[in-house]
Amino acid sequence: MLLDLHSHSTVSDGLYRPSELAALMAQAGVGCWALTDHDTVDGIAEARAAAHKLGLRFVAGVEISVTYMGKTVHIVGLGVDENQADLQAHLLATRSGRDGRMQAMADRLGDMGIAGAYEGALALAGNPELLSRTHLARFLVQAGHVPSVQAAFDRYLADGQPACVPMQWAKLGDAVAWIRAAGGVAVMAHPGRYDFSPLQEEALFADFIAAGGQAVEVMTGSHREHELPHYAALAQRLGLAHSCGSDFHGIKEGEAPGRYPQMDLAGLPCVTGLLVA
Ligand code: AMP
Ligand code: MN
Ligand code: MN
Ligand code: MN
């Protein structure tokens, strides 16, 4: 069965509403789907209702932003109770700095001669709490400053680029604990994207596992083919289950529901085995 356990809706930085995303997943032949918006579970109820109408197995998810060794790391929670008050409060606190950070990024762009960035991003996000670099990237494309969302990241918004204002997100151990306390499984999202040294990566996984992390994304739309064997071997060695997903936003080139580089992971347990049915 085709799994897609990582995706984004308009409730964070995706292009499609949760119910539209459910239809796209079903159309693509996905049999089990998780919505994993950034730092919010507000789309889960709509997503679940739409998925069940379509006969699609649904997993309530979230992707929590974490700061670890000065870099942003994402921890996906799968099978969380989206109504748990503690989880909702922690997520609200985590995303509360997004508005101020967007103002600061827009100021930097203003200094570079690009006006109206805050208003442009807000028009796309709809809600100041949800403002993300993806909205800002879409504004930069629309206003003709860059040819594509990826070019906006490469030139202005990626970590270390001139308009990126770093955030102090949640602590790794806290994010894992919030997910576990809400009944979920904590998954290390797209580890190939972090650009840590081998020693730092070892520390990241040791701390993740010590905090209660149980799975890692091996096959994801955010990994390139050559990264799959590395993370499959790492999962095997550390006793982690594997998870997989497109990281679909509906925005970037080459992404599609249920699409990610594939590899035979026979012998590696799948994260779905850890979810309560
Ligand atoms: P934010 O949570 O506002 O920092 O935005 C993070 C989002 O921006 C991620 O979830 C990705 O969708 C996107 N993103 C971050 N870095 C890059 C990058 N280097 N290239 C393309 N997209 C990126
Ligand atoms: Mn995103
Ligand atoms: Mn991510
Ligand atoms: Mn994601």
Side-chain angles (χ1 to χ4, degrees), residues 6-8 12-13 36-38 63 74 76 189-190 193 217 222 246-249 252:
H6 189 145
S7 64
H8 296 273
S12 63
D13 59 347
T36 55
D37 277 314
H38 296 288
E63 181 173 22
H74 286 167
V76 162
H190 46 61
R193 270 216 342 228
E217 290 182 349
S222 292
S246 60
D247 206 353
F248 181 72
H249 290 69
K252 296 173 194 169

Side-chain angles (χ1 to χ4, degrees), residues 23-210:
L24 292 173
M25 289 287 165
Q27 237 170 50
V30 172
C32 179
W33 165 52
L35 178 67
T36 55
D37 277 314
H38 296 288
D39 309 313
T40 176
V41 287
D42 290 354
I44 296 299
E46 178 183 326
R48 179 187 286 115
H52 287 169
K53 265 193 198 143
L54 293 160
L56 182 59
R57 183 177 169 199
F58 180 73
V59 176
V62 63
E63 181 173 22
I64 303 182
S65 309
V66 158
T67 301
Y68 184 83
M69 291 192 195
K71 289 189 180 177
T72 297
V73 164
H74 286 167
I75 304 296
V76 162
L78 295 177
V80 294
D81 171 5
E82 77 275 13
N83 295 313
Q84 205 218 44
D86 282 351
L87 178 67
Q88 290 184 353
H90 292 309
L91 294 177
L92 181 62
T94 301
R95 62 183 189 261
S96 67
R98 285 186 172 276
D99 189 24
R101 177 241 212 166
M102 184 59 66
Q103 307 262 12
M105 288 197 290
D107 287 348
R108 289 206 190 171
L109 286 167
D111 292 343
M112 290 182 261
I114 296 176
Y118 177 83
E119 295 74 16
L122 183 58
L124 293 168
N127 176 349
E129 254 177 40
L130 302 177
L131 277 166
S132 80
R133 283 184 284 167
T134 311
H135 298 112
L136 191 49
R138 286 169 60 201
F139 159 76
L140 290 171
V141 175
Q142 278 181 7
H145 298 290
V146 284
S148 67
V149 164
Q150 193 55 55
F153 275 96
D154 294 344
R155 189 152 156 206
Y156 295 109
L157 306 179
D159 295 355
Q161 290 309 113
C164 177
V165 172
M167 280 281 282
Q168 192 62 45
W169 298 112
K171 292 196 177 83
L172 174 67
D174 288 348
V176 173
W178 302 337
I179 290 165
R180 295 296 305 261
V185 175
V187 183
M188 179 64 67
H190 46 61
R193 270 216 342 228
Y194 302 137
D195 215 19
F196 283 126
S197 72
L199 274 177
Q200 288 175 321
E201 187 175 85
E202 281 299 310
L204 170 67
F205 276 95
D207 288 342
F208 172 67
I209 291 167

Side-chain angles (χ1 to χ4, degrees), residues 243-265:
S243 186
C244 48
S246 60
D247 206 353
F248 181 72
H249 290 69
I251 288 165
K252 296 173 194 169
E253 253 169 57
E255 51 166 14
R259 182 192 291 167
Y260 43 84
Q262 305 264 345
M263 169 187 183
D264 182 6
L265 296 178

